[in-house]
Amino acid sequence: MEQRKILLREDEIPRQWYNILADIAMNPPLGPDGNPITPDQLAPVFPMNLIEQEVSQERWIDIPDGVLDVLKIWRPAPLVRARGLEKALDTPARIYFKNESLSPPGSHKPNTAVAQAYYNKEFGIKKITTETGAGQWGSALSFACAHFGLECKIYMVRISFDQKPYRKSMMAAWGGNCVASPSPNTKAGQTALERDPNTPGSLGIAISEAIEEAVSDESGQTRYSLGSVLNHVLLHQTIIGLEAKKQMEKINEYPDIIIGCAGGGSNFAGLALPFVHDKINGKQIEIYPVEPAACPTLTKAPFVYDHGDTARYTPLLAMHSLGHAFVPPPIHSGGLRYHGMAPIVSQLVDEGILEPKSVKQNQVFEAGVLTARSEGIIPAPETNHALATVVDEARKAKEEGKEKVILFNWSGHGLLDLTAYDNYFAGNIKDIDLSNEEITNAEKVFADFPKPAHVKHE
Amino acid sequence: MEQRKILLREDEIPRQWYNILADIAMNPPLGPDGNPITPDQLAPVFPMNLIEQEVSQERWIDIPDGVLDVLKIWRPAPLVRARGLEKALDTPARIYFKNESLSPPGSHKPNTAVAQAYYNKEFGIKKITTETGAGQWGSALSFACAHFGLECKIYMVRISFDQKPYRKSMMAAWGGNCVASPSPNTKAGQTALERDPNTPGSLGIAISEAIEEAVSDESGQTRYSLGSVLNHVLLHQTIIGLEAKKQMEKINEYPDIIIGCAGGGSNFAGLALPFVHDKINGKQIEIYPVEPAACPTLTKAPFVYDHGDTARYTPLLAMHSLGHAFVPPPIHSGGLRYHGMAPIVSQLVDEGILEPKSVKQNQVFEAGVLTARSEGIIPAPETNHALATVVDEARKAKEEGKEKVILFNWSGHGLLDLTAYDNYFAGNIKDIDLSNEEITNAEKVFADFPKPAHVKHE
């Protein structure tokens, strides 16, 4: 009988993360004075052990036993041959996915949440603050903090807080404390509410609030945690791609095309970076980050220096950005509503190593429902962005009569996003496309900032 | 580093189900004339291939490749060492569970849903009707029907329909059509609504509605499907216990105590029956089905002949029953709100092979939250009943200083039951205990029915 899942044993889980900073050149983050930021300047925000990881140039970084032990609650994640979807599409392509939906919070996010909670605990921190979009990240960090006995405070983007009440319950089940953002508790929140009392909120605002709460704690025992974007977050996610490589080797496969949805960039990069390493070293692979047309950071926004948050608390990061004041339209994929993009992913797009794509909302849900019915798992709306491109590529392979090998990341399940599916079935999903005027307006906020260099790896 | 999960490869999935009817004597189901029912009398309700399975005396029944192929979407299920819970309880007991929450619908239910959809498809059926309590079963059957291209209609118990709107969305994502029960569409539903327009509904009423729709289809292409209680359902679930046995053998363990929550009895029996086989053959094991004190079928109701549904469409089954007209109090564990119990489980309790326990609602959620925070997975409220007893037994092992091996079934996750957790945290969960008067009243409905014999296995 045909094999569906390629499994690893617990003792085959990778023992090191892959750090792409050893293989590419990057524009450094800049401080308020325009100079590269120093570790000391970040110390009020992150614990020093994570700051060191953020700037490390070591290619391989050991995964601590204390992290692996918690990852093993659900890892290794299966590599799945999507035979049902292949059949539904009648394609000669062989489609594989990493199933990251099997973690207790339901997404890839705990891969880094567990590591970050571990390092904070090691550094003597008692409380972690963070933001969350769709709620996946807040759930993941609550889950991780429960394991290490840390307090967890989550600022959840207002529109998702309202659309997904069960996410808050989930965080509470793990002991996390979740509030809607913008909130009246922080200066950043107050400012946002003054500007627009009915704002749906944004990741940018929520990040500002969480940072503000962390740095305001005079005991020095609170730090902030980010669920995507930063180098160390993408580092922790590379366990996805490293497992996938081992699994594909076991069946003598290698992908022609790699696909992942991209909001801040971490699930995409987690799968893709170990393969980017191969591409840099000469392998022929097409690698597609996929974003919503409603928030087209990689496909339409420039590569600039900009802040990661609305209140401009973060350093300037070299990234594709729609502008730190941009509030993305209220699509259901909260995890993809971010004005910026991970500097590593942005850099690789600027170098032409990655080829970003954007997709519209109805196409996204069409692919999601087709996959739910043929593969069995109901995907998160974010994952449906990857699926829309998988479906496109599988159909192209059929037209061209080519046996392409497609590998994508199933970033999460949609069991707490079922309202989005209800809206799709009711015909209430809009195909939002950002206009050039909106983009030009949004870009004004970084017009006076320094410009990153177009560096290339050697 | 310590192992958390004992995994099997896909090719180690059992290829046969274990049929306990080869090893125990049972009271036969009786027809309206008081005589044992014939396969022909059941033919309008179930396809003949499943009727044959229902009465088979073969100890081992092959699992068709077409069933195994779909089960492999999530099976084999991990056997997990609950190290986090052991640590939280500081117990010398070694606690293991089968994680049945990893199936796409989130519970053990698809183990039989897939088999039943397969056999209906093989028999040429186009549409399946069913009932659902908490929604787990309706989701599972929708998922299974999507795979075999069958239409699926689900009558969902009103209180769960209202408490868990996302379950309906989930069924819709897989193409299932879910309505609240009692509905005005069937005679059984109309009667129930006349008796009490505000009834929370019950599994008994919903079963009547689903059977009525199936047998009323004059094309003969609709059949009914039941998610628990019947012999063939428990048969399909034995894959859980058979996998668990293989997994425990791999680490040279054998359980002293087996625990599962019991509503209709299928998740409990799925884990327990292969071990009951050993107990019948001389092994020393304690085996505990656990039910809510609010619906104490095994612990307080007699072993009688009664109908499986409220409108008395089903044959008389020899089982523990609170009476077919009984409407259980509206606790959050919809899957455990059933007036009867699987005849196989009832028979084994009558023989003293199983020792049923009942638990109260606050104790149930206390155990669930402790486990969510120490093991990471948020359990279904049904699973929390098993957990309450696991916690009791682990504490007893500590008091006695004994290294007991406890094995339980994690029947499902609670991601679509988070309202129940909200209510628990808000202090709104009531400890409902059924009074003797309520039980005596409920029992009147079967006073005139034949009585089952107290048969014993040889």
Side-chain angles (χ1 to χ4, degrees), chain A residues 1-5 10 15 69 72 75 104 143 166 169 172-175 372-373 376 418-419 422, chain B residues 1-5 10 15 69 72 75 104 143 166 169 172-175 372-373 375-376 418-419 422:
Chain A
M1 222 184 321
E2 286 169 336
Q3 197 178 4
R4 270 192 190 264
K5 303 188 298 301
E10 282 189 354
R15 306 299 293 252
D69 188 50
K72 284 193 301 186
R75 302 206 78 86
F143 159 83
Y166 288 176
S169 316
W174 282 311
R373 293 184 182 173
L418 288 162
T419 313
D422 284 348
Chain B
M1 220 185 323
E2 285 169 334
Q3 196 178 4
R4 270 193 191 265
K5 303 187 298 301
E10 282 189 356
R15 306 299 293 251
D69 189 51
K72 285 194 300 187
R75 300 206 78 85
F143 159 83
Y166 288 175
S169 317
W174 281 312
R373 293 183 183 174
E375 278 304 311
L418 289 162
T419 312
D422 285 348

CSV table of all heavy atoms in Angstrom, one decimal, chain A residues 1-5 10 15 69 72 75 104 143 166 169 172-175 372-373 376 418-419 422, chain B residues 1-5 10 15 69 72 75 104 143 166 169 172-175 372-373 375-376 418-419 422:
chain,number,residue,atom,x,y,z
A,1,MET,N,0.8,-1.2,0.0
A,1,MET,CA,0.0,0.0,0.0
A,1,MET,C,0.9,1.3,0.0
A,1,MET,O,2.0,1.2,0.5
A,1,MET,CB,-0.9,0.0,1.2
A,1,MET,CG,-2.3,0.4,0.9
A,1,MET,SD,-3.3,0.5,2.4
A,1,MET,CE,-2.6,-0.9,3.3
A,2,GLU,N,0.3,2.3,-0.6
A,2,GLU,CA,1.1,3.5,-0.7
A,2,GLU,C,1.4,4.2,0.6
A,2,GLU,O,0.5,4.3,1.4
A,2,GLU,CB,0.4,4.5,-1.7
A,2,GLU,CG,0.6,4.1,-3.1
A,2,GLU,CD,-0.4,4.9,-4.0
A,2,GLU,OE1,-1.4,5.4,-3.5
A,2,GLU,OE2,-0.1,4.9,-5.2
A,3,GLN,N,2.6,4.8,0.7
A,3,GLN,CA,2.9,5.5,2.0
A,3,GLN,C,2.4,6.9,1.9
A,3,GLN,O,2.4,7.5,0.9
A,3,GLN,CB,4.5,5.5,2.1
A,3,GLN,CG,5.0,5.9,3.4
A,3,GLN,CD,6.5,5.8,3.5
A,3,GLN,OE1,7.2,5.6,2.5
A,3,GLN,NE2,7.1,6.1,4.7
A,4,ARG,N,1.8,7.4,3.0
A,4,ARG,CA,1.3,8.7,3.1
A,4,ARG,C,2.3,9.6,3.8
A,4,ARG,O,2.6,10.8,3.4
A,4,ARG,CB,0.0,8.8,3.8
A,4,ARG,CG,-1.2,8.6,3.0
A,4,ARG,CD,-2.5,9.0,3.8
A,4,ARG,NE,-3.7,8.7,3.0
A,4,ARG,CZ,-4.3,9.5,2.2
A,4,ARG,NH1,-4.0,10.7,2.0
A,4,ARG,NH2,-5.4,9.0,1.6
A,5,LYS,N,2.8,9.2,4.9
A,5,LYS,CA,3.6,10.0,5.8
A,5,LYS,C,5.1,9.5,5.9
A,5,LYS,O,5.3,8.3,6.0
A,5,LYS,CB,3.1,10.0,7.2
A,5,LYS,CG,1.6,10.5,7.3
A,5,LYS,CD,1.1,10.7,8.7
A,5,LYS,CE,1.1,9.4,9.5
A,5,LYS,NZ,0.3,8.3,9.0
A,10,GLU,N,12.1,10.1,17.3
A,10,GLU,CA,12.4,11.3,18.1
A,10,GLU,C,13.9,11.5,18.1
A,10,GLU,O,14.4,12.7,18.1
A,10,GLU,CB,12.0,11.1,19.6
A,10,GLU,CG,10.5,11.3,19.8
A,10,GLU,CD,10.1,11.3,21.3
A,10,GLU,OE1,10.9,11.0,22.1
A,10,GLU,OE2,8.9,11.6,21.5
A,15,ARG,N,19.6,18.2,15.9
A,15,ARG,CA,20.2,18.7,17.1
A,15,ARG,C,20.7,20.1,17.0
A,15,ARG,O,21.2,20.7,18.0
A,15,ARG,CB,21.2,17.7,17.7
A,15,ARG,CG,20.8,16.3,17.8
A,15,ARG,CD,19.6,16.1,18.7
A,15,ARG,NE,20.0,16.4,20.1
A,15,ARG,CZ,20.1,15.5,21.0
A,15,ARG,NH1,19.8,14.3,20.8
A,15,ARG,NH2,20.4,15.9,22.3
A,69,ASP,N,13.3,18.7,24.5
A,69,ASP,CA,12.4,17.9,25.3
A,69,ASP,C,11.0,18.4,25.2
A,69,ASP,O,10.1,17.6,25.2
A,69,ASP,CB,12.9,18.0,26.8
A,69,ASP,CG,12.1,17.0,27.7
A,69,ASP,OD1,12.0,15.9,27.3
A,69,ASP,OD2,11.6,17.5,28.7
A,72,LYS,N,9.5,17.7,21.6
A,72,LYS,CA,9.1,16.3,21.3
A,72,LYS,C,7.7,16.0,21.7
A,72,LYS,O,7.2,15.0,21.4
A,72,LYS,CB,10.1,15.4,22.1
A,72,LYS,CG,11.4,15.3,21.4
A,72,LYS,CD,12.2,14.1,22.0
A,72,LYS,CE,12.5,14.3,23.5
A,72,LYS,NZ,13.4,13.2,24.0
A,75,ARG,N,7.0,17.0,17.9
A,75,ARG,CA,7.9,16.8,16.8
A,75,ARG,C,8.6,15.4,17.0
A,75,ARG,O,8.6,14.9,18.1
A,75,ARG,CB,9.1,17.9,16.9
A,75,ARG,CG,8.6,19.3,16.7
A,75,ARG,CD,9.7,20.2,16.2
A,75,ARG,NE,9.8,20.0,14.7
A,75,ARG,CZ,9.0,20.6,13.8
A,75,ARG,NH1,8.2,21.5,14.2
A,75,ARG,NH2,9.2,20.4,12.5
A,104,PRO,N,0.3,21.4,19.8
A,104,PRO,CA,-0.9,21.6,20.6
A,104,PRO,C,-1.6,23.0,20.3
A,104,PRO,O,-2.8,23.0,20.2
A,104,PRO,CB,-0.4,21.6,22.0
A,104,PRO,CG,0.7,20.5,22.0
A,104,PRO,CD,1.4,20.8,20.6
A,143,PHE,N,1.4,28.6,25.7
A,143,PHE,CA,1.8,27.1,25.8
A,143,PHE,C,3.2,27.0,26.3
A,143,PHE,O,3.5,26.2,27.2
A,143,PHE,CB,1.6,26.5,24.4
A,143,PHE,CG,2.3,25.2,24.2
A,143,PHE,CD1,1.7,24.0,24.6
A,143,PHE,CD2,3.5,25.2,23.5
A,143,PHE,CE1,2.4,22.8,24.3
A,143,PHE,CE2,4.1,24.0,23.2
A,143,PHE,CZ,3.6,22.8,23.6
A,166,TYR,N,-12.2,32.4,20.7
A,166,TYR,CA,-11.7,31.2,21.3
A,166,TYR,C,-10.2,31.2,21.5
A,166,TYR,O,-9.6,30.5,22.3
A,166,TYR,CB,-12.1,30.0,20.5
A,166,TYR,CG,-13.6,29.7,20.6
A,166,TYR,CD1,-14.2,28.6,19.9
A,166,TYR,CD2,-14.4,30.4,21.5
A,166,TYR,CE1,-15.5,28.3,20.0
A,166,TYR,CE2,-15.8,30.1,21.6
A,166,TYR,CZ,-16.3,29.0,20.9
A,166,TYR,OH,-17.6,28.7,21.0
A,169,SER,N,-9.6,32.3,24.9
A,169,SER,CA,-9.8,31.1,25.9
A,169,SER,C,-8.7,30.2,25.9
A,169,SER,O,-8.3,29.6,26.9
A,169,SER,CB,-11.1,30.4,25.4
A,169,SER,OG,-12.1,31.3,25.1
A,172,ALA,N,-5.9,31.4,27.9
A,172,ALA,CA,-6.3,31.4,29.3
A,172,ALA,C,-6.1,29.9,29.8
A,172,ALA,O,-5.6,29.7,30.9
A,172,ALA,CB,-7.7,31.8,29.5
A,173,ALA,N,-6.5,28.9,28.9
A,173,ALA,CA,-6.3,27.5,29.4
A,173,ALA,C,-4.9,27.2,29.7
A,173,ALA,O,-4.6,26.5,30.6
A,173,ALA,CB,-6.8,26.6,28.3
A,174,TRP,N,-3.9,27.9,29.0
A,174,TRP,CA,-2.5,27.7,29.3
A,174,TRP,C,-2.0,28.7,30.3
A,174,TRP,O,-0.8,28.8,30.6
A,174,TRP,CB,-1.7,27.7,28.1
A,174,TRP,CG,-1.7,26.4,27.3
A,174,TRP,CD1,-1.6,25.2,27.8
A,174,TRP,CD2,-2.0,26.3,25.9
A,174,TRP,NE1,-1.7,24.2,26.8
A,174,TRP,CE2,-2.0,24.9,25.6
A,174,TRP,CE3,-2.3,27.1,24.8
A,174,TRP,CZ2,-2.2,24.3,24.3
A,174,TRP,CZ3,-2.5,26.6,23.6
A,174,TRP,CH2,-2.4,25.2,23.3
A,175,GLY,N,-2.9,29.6,30.8
A,175,GLY,CA,-2.5,30.6,31.9
A,175,GLY,C,-2.0,31.9,31.3
A,175,GLY,O,-1.6,32.8,32.1
A,372,ALA,N,-9.1,20.7,2.1
A,372,ALA,CA,-9.8,20.2,3.2
A,372,ALA,C,-10.5,18.9,2.8
A,372,ALA,O,-10.5,17.9,3.6
A,372,ALA,CB,-10.7,21.2,3.9
A,373,ARG,N,-11.2,19.0,1.7
A,373,ARG,CA,-12.0,17.8,1.3
A,373,ARG,C,-11.2,16.7,0.7
A,373,ARG,O,-11.6,15.5,0.7
A,373,ARG,CB,-13.1,18.3,0.3
A,373,ARG,CG,-14.1,19.2,1.1
A,373,ARG,CD,-15.2,19.7,0.2
A,373,ARG,NE,-16.1,20.6,1.1
A,373,ARG,CZ,-17.1,21.2,0.6
A,373,ARG,NH1,-17.5,21.2,-0.6
A,373,ARG,NH2,-17.8,22.0,1.5
A,376,GLY,N,-8.2,16.1,3.9
A,376,GLY,CA,-8.7,15.8,5.2
A,376,GLY,C,-8.5,16.9,6.3
A,376,GLY,O,-9.4,17.1,7.1
A,418,LEU,N,-12.8,29.0,11.8
A,418,LEU,CA,-13.9,28.5,11.0
A,418,LEU,C,-14.9,29.6,10.6
A,418,LEU,O,-15.6,29.4,9.5
A,418,LEU,CB,-14.6,27.4,11.7
A,418,LEU,CG,-13.8,26.1,11.8
A,418,LEU,CD1,-14.3,25.1,12.9
A,418,LEU,CD2,-13.8,25.4,10.4
A,419,THR,N,-14.9,30.7,11.3
A,419,THR,CA,-15.7,31.8,10.9
A,419,THR,C,-15.3,32.3,9.5
A,419,THR,O,-16.2,32.7,8.7
A,419,THR,CB,-15.6,33.0,11.8
A,419,THR,OG1,-15.7,32.5,13.2
A,419,THR,CG2,-16.6,34.1,11.6
A,422,ASP,N,-17.0,30.1,7.1
A,422,ASP,CA,-18.4,30.4,7.0
A,422,ASP,C,-18.6,31.6,6.1
A,422,ASP,O,-19.5,31.6,5.2
A,422,ASP,CB,-19.0,30.8,8.4
A,422,ASP,CG,-19.2,29.6,9.3
A,422,ASP,OD1,-19.2,28.4,8.8
A,422,ASP,OD2,-19.4,29.8,10.5
B,1,MET,N,18.5,11.6,26.1
B,1,MET,CA,17.4,12.3,26.6
B,1,MET,C,16.1,11.4,26.6
B,1,MET,O,16.1,10.4,25.9
B,1,MET,CB,17.1,13.5,25.6
B,1,MET,CG,16.7,14.7,26.3
B,1,MET,SD,16.2,16.0,25.1
B,1,MET,CE,17.4,15.7,23.8
B,2,GLU,N,15.2,11.7,27.5
B,2,GLU,CA,14.1,10.8,27.7
B,2,GLU,C,13.1,10.8,26.5
B,2,GLU,O,12.8,11.9,26.0
B,2,GLU,CB,13.3,11.3,29.0
B,2,GLU,CG,14.1,10.9,30.3
B,2,GLU,CD,13.4,11.6,31.5
B,2,GLU,OE1,12.8,12.6,31.3
B,2,GLU,OE2,13.6,11.0,32.6
B,3,GLN,N,12.6,9.7,26.3
B,3,GLN,CA,11.6,9.5,25.2
B,3,GLN,C,10.3,10.0,25.6
B,3,GLN,O,9.8,9.6,26.7
B,3,GLN,CB,11.6,8.0,24.8
B,3,GLN,CG,11.0,7.8,23.4
B,3,GLN,CD,11.0,6.3,23.0
B,3,GLN,OE1,11.5,5.5,23.8
B,3,GLN,NE2,10.6,6.0,21.8
B,4,ARG,N,9.6,10.7,24.8
B,4,ARG,CA,8.2,11.1,25.1
B,4,ARG,C,7.2,10.2,24.4
B,4,ARG,O,6.2,9.8,25.0
B,4,ARG,CB,7.9,12.6,24.7
B,4,ARG,CG,8.2,13.6,25.7
B,4,ARG,CD,7.7,14.9,25.3
B,4,ARG,NE,8.2,16.0,26.2
B,4,ARG,CZ,7.5,16.4,27.3
B,4,ARG,NH1,6.4,15.9,27.6
B,4,ARG,NH2,8.1,17.4,28.0
B,5,LYS,N,7.4,10.0,23.1
B,5,LYS,CA,6.4,9.3,22.3
B,5,LYS,C,6.9,8.0,21.8
B,5,LYS,O,8.1,7.9,21.3
B,5,LYS,CB,6.1,10.2,21.1
B,5,LYS,CG,5.6,11.6,21.4
B,5,LYS,CD,5.1,12.3,20.2
B,5,LYS,CE,6.1,12.6,19.1
B,5,LYS,NZ,7.3,13.3,19.5
B,10,GLU,N,4.0,3.4,9.5
B,10,GLU,CA,2.7,3.1,8.9
B,10,GLU,C,2.5,1.7,8.6
B,10,GLU,O,1.4,1.1,8.8
B,10,GLU,CB,2.6,3.9,7.6
B,10,GLU,CG,2.3,5.4,7.7
B,10,GLU,CD,2.0,6.1,6.4
B,10,GLU,OE1,2.1,5.4,5.3
B,10,GLU,OE2,1.6,7.2,6.4
B,15,ARG,N,-3.5,-4.8,10.9
B,15,ARG,CA,-4.2,-5.1,9.7
B,15,ARG,C,-5.5,-5.7,10.0
B,15,ARG,O,-6.3,-6.1,9.1
B,15,ARG,CB,-3.3,-5.9,8.8
B,15,ARG,CG,-1.9,-5.4,8.5
B,15,ARG,CD,-2.0,-4.0,7.8
B,15,ARG,NE,-2.6,-4.1,6.5
B,15,ARG,CZ,-1.9,-4.0,5.4
B,15,ARG,NH1,-0.6,-3.7,5.4
B,15,ARG,NH2,-2.4,-4.1,4.2
B,69,ASP,N,-5.9,3.1,4.1
B,69,ASP,CA,-5.3,4.2,3.3
B,69,ASP,C,-5.7,5.6,3.9
B,69,ASP,O,-5.0,6.5,3.9
B,69,ASP,CB,-5.7,4.0,1.9
B,69,ASP,CG,-4.9,5.0,1.0
B,69,ASP,OD1,-3.7,5.1,1.1
B,69,ASP,OD2,-5.6,5.8,0.2
B,72,LYS,N,-4.4,6.3,7.5
B,72,LYS,CA,-3.0,6.7,7.5
B,72,LYS,C,-2.8,8.2,7.4
B,72,LYS,O,-1.7,8.7,7.6
B,72,LYS,CB,-2.2,6.0,6.4
B,72,LYS,CG,-1.9,4.6,6.7
B,72,LYS,CD,-0.9,3.9,5.8
B,72,LYS,CE,-1.3,4.0,4.4
B,72,LYS,NZ,-0.4,3.3,3.5
B,75,ARG,N,-3.0,8.1,11.4
B,75,ARG,CA,-2.5,6.9,12.2
B,75,ARG,C,-1.2,6.4,11.7
B,75,ARG,O,-0.9,6.7,10.5
B,75,ARG,CB,-3.5,5.7,12.1
B,75,ARG,CG,-4.9,6.1,12.7
B,75,ARG,CD,-5.6,4.9,13.2
B,75,ARG,NE,-5.1,4.5,14.5
B,75,ARG,CZ,-5.5,5.0,15.6
B,75,ARG,NH1,-6.5,5.9,15.7
B,75,ARG,NH2,-5.0,4.6,16.8
B,104,PRO,N,-7.7,14.7,11.9
B,104,PRO,CA,-8.2,16.0,11.5
B,104,PRO,C,-9.4,16.5,12.2
B,104,PRO,O,-9.5,17.7,12.6
B,104,PRO,CB,-8.4,15.9,10.0
B,104,PRO,CG,-7.4,14.8,9.6
B,104,PRO,CD,-7.4,13.8,10.8
B,143,PHE,N,-16.0,14.3,7.5
B,143,PHE,CA,-14.6,14.1,7.1
B,143,PHE,C,-14.5,12.8,6.2
B,143,PHE,O,-14.0,12.8,5.1
B,143,PHE,CB,-13.7,14.1,8.3
B,143,PHE,CG,-12.4,13.4,8.1
B,143,PHE,CD1,-11.3,14.1,7.6
B,143,PHE,CD2,-12.2,12.1,8.5
B,143,PHE,CE1,-10.0,13.5,7.4
B,143,PHE,CE2,-10.9,11.5,8.4
B,143,PHE,CZ,-9.9,12.2,7.8
B,166,TYR,N,-19.0,26.4,15.9
B,166,TYR,CA,-17.9,26.1,15.0
B,166,TYR,C,-17.9,24.7,14.5
B,166,TYR,O,-17.4,24.3,13.5
B,166,TYR,CB,-16.5,26.4,15.6
B,166,TYR,CG,-16.3,27.9,15.7
B,166,TYR,CD1,-15.1,28.4,16.4
B,166,TYR,CD2,-17.2,28.9,15.2
B,166,TYR,CE1,-14.9,29.7,16.5
B,166,TYR,CE2,-16.9,30.2,15.3
B,166,TYR,CZ,-15.8,30.7,16.0
B,166,TYR,OH,-15.5,32.0,16.1
B,169,SER,N,-19.7,24.7,11.3
B,169,SER,CA,-18.8,25.2,10.3
B,169,SER,C,-17.8,24.1,9.8
B,169,SER,O,-17.5,24.0,8.6
B,169,SER,CB,-18.0,26.4,10.8
B,169,SER,OG,-18.8,27.3,11.5
B,172,ALA,N,-19.4,21.8,7.6
B,172,ALA,CA,-19.6,22.4,6.3
B,172,ALA,C,-18.3,22.4,5.5
B,172,ALA,O,-18.4,22.2,4.3
B,172,ALA,CB,-20.2,23.8,6.5
B,173,ALA,N,-17.2,22.7,6.1
B,173,ALA,CA,-15.9,22.7,5.4
B,173,ALA,C,-15.7,21.4,4.7
B,173,ALA,O,-15.1,21.3,3.6
B,173,ALA,CB,-14.8,23.0,6.4
B,174,TRP,N,-16.1,20.3,5.3
B,174,TRP,CA,-16.0,19.0,4.7
B,174,TRP,C,-17.2,18.6,3.8
B,174,TRP,O,-17.3,17.5,3.4
B,174,TRP,CB,-15.7,17.9,5.7
B,174,TRP,CG,-14.3,17.9,6.2
B,174,TRP,CD1,-13.2,17.9,5.5
B,174,TRP,CD2,-13.9,17.9,7.6
B,174,TRP,NE1,-12.1,17.9,6.2
B,174,TRP,CE2,-12.4,17.9,7.6
B,174,TRP,CE3,-14.5,17.8,8.8
B,174,TRP,CZ2,-11.7,17.8,8.7
B,174,TRP,CZ3,-13.7,17.8,10.0
B,174,TRP,CH2,-12.3,17.8,9.9
B,175,GLY,N,-18.2,19.5,3.7
B,175,GLY,CA,-19.3,19.3,2.9
B,175,GLY,C,-20.5,18.6,3.6
B,175,GLY,O,-21.5,18.3,2.9
B,372,ALA,N,-3.5,20.3,30.7
B,372,ALA,CA,-3.2,21.2,29.6
B,372,ALA,C,-1.9,22.0,29.9
B,372,ALA,O,-1.1,22.2,29.0
B,372,ALA,CB,-4.4,22.2,29.5
B,373,ARG,N,-1.7,22.3,31.2
B,373,ARG,CA,-0.6,23.2,31.5
B,373,ARG,C,0.7,22.3,31.7
B,373,ARG,O,1.8,22.8,31.5
B,373,ARG,CB,-0.9,24.0,32.8
B,373,ARG,CG,-1.9,25.1,32.4
B,373,ARG,CD,-2.2,26.0,33.6
B,373,ARG,NE,-3.3,26.9,33.2
B,373,ARG,CZ,-3.9,27.8,33.9
B,373,ARG,NH1,-3.5,27.9,35.2
B,373,ARG,NH2,-4.9,28.6,33.5
B,375,GLU,N,1.1,18.9,30.3
B,375,GLU,CA,1.3,18.1,29.1
B,375,GLU,C,1.3,18.9,27.8
B,375,GLU,O,1.8,18.5,26.8
B,375,GLU,CB,0.3,17.0,29.0
B,375,GLU,CG,0.6,15.8,29.8
B,375,GLU,CD,2.0,15.2,29.6
B,375,GLU,OE1,2.3,15.0,28.4
B,375,GLU,OE2,2.7,15.0,30.6
B,376,GLY,N,0.6,20.1,27.8
B,376,GLY,CA,0.6,20.9,26.6
B,376,GLY,C,-0.6,20.9,25.8
B,376,GLY,O,-1.1,21.9,25.2
B,418,LEU,N,-13.7,25.4,23.9
B,418,LEU,CA,-13.1,26.4,24.8
B,418,LEU,C,-14.1,27.1,25.7
B,418,LEU,O,-13.7,27.6,26.7
B,418,LEU,CB,-12.2,27.3,24.0
B,418,LEU,CG,-10.9,26.5,23.5
B,418,LEU,CD1,-10.2,27.3,22.4
B,418,LEU,CD2,-9.9,26.3,24.7
B,419,THR,N,-15.3,27.3,25.2
B,419,THR,CA,-16.4,27.9,26.0
B,419,THR,C,-16.5,27.2,27.3
B,419,THR,O,-16.7,27.8,28.4
B,419,THR,CB,-17.7,27.8,25.3
B,419,THR,OG1,-17.5,28.2,23.9
B,419,THR,CG2,-18.8,28.7,25.9
B,422,ASP,N,-13.9,28.5,29.5
B,422,ASP,CA,-14.2,29.8,30.0
B,422,ASP,C,-15.2,29.7,31.1
B,422,ASP,O,-15.0,30.4,32.1
B,422,ASP,CB,-14.9,30.6,28.8
B,422,ASP,CG,-13.9,31.1,27.8
B,422,ASP,OD1,-12.7,31.0,28.0
B,422,ASP,OD2,-14.4,31.5,26.7
